[in-house]
Amino acid sequence: LDALIAVTKRLSQYEARYRLESEEFFSRYRRGQMTDDADFVEWANDYQHYQAIRSEIERHLRHAA
């Protein structure tokens, strides 16, 4: 959970800085509508990490139920 909290905080900072939700940003980034600035590359990596952590947690919760 600590990793999820940390990456969520970073995503919130990007969202505030660029006034764009991470999901929308990532959709645009994947379509090539965003530049490859360092911030955007890091934001995309953080969003993918966030998705992976959430998927892993959800998988564990399904097996625990």
Side-chain angles (χ1 to χ4, degrees):
L1 280 176
D2 290 340
L4 181 62
I5 292 167
V7 77
T8 300
K9 285 181 181 179
R10 288 194 304 272
L11 292 176
S12 292
Q13 291 170 347
Y14 287 119
E15 290 172 353
R17 184 178 314 146
Y18 294 103
R19 299 177 193 254
L20 186 64
E21 296 292 322
S22 290
E23 187 175 349
E24 178 62 25
F25 156 76
F26 192 68
S27 177
R28 291 181 188 182
Y29 184 81
R30 288 184 54 182
R31 290 192 309 261
Q33 296 175 336
M34 307 298 285
T35 65
D36 285 333
D37 290 348
D39 263 7
F40 293 159
V41 171
E42 290 175 20
W43 190 0
N45 288 337
D46 281 343
Y47 187 70
Q48 289 176 313
H49 189 210
Y50 166 80
Q51 289 179 315
I53 294 169
R54 283 202 48 196
S55 292
E56 185 67 17
I57 289 170
E58 289 171 4
R59 186 179 68 79
H60 283 292
L61 290 174
R62 280 193 302 272
H63 290 331

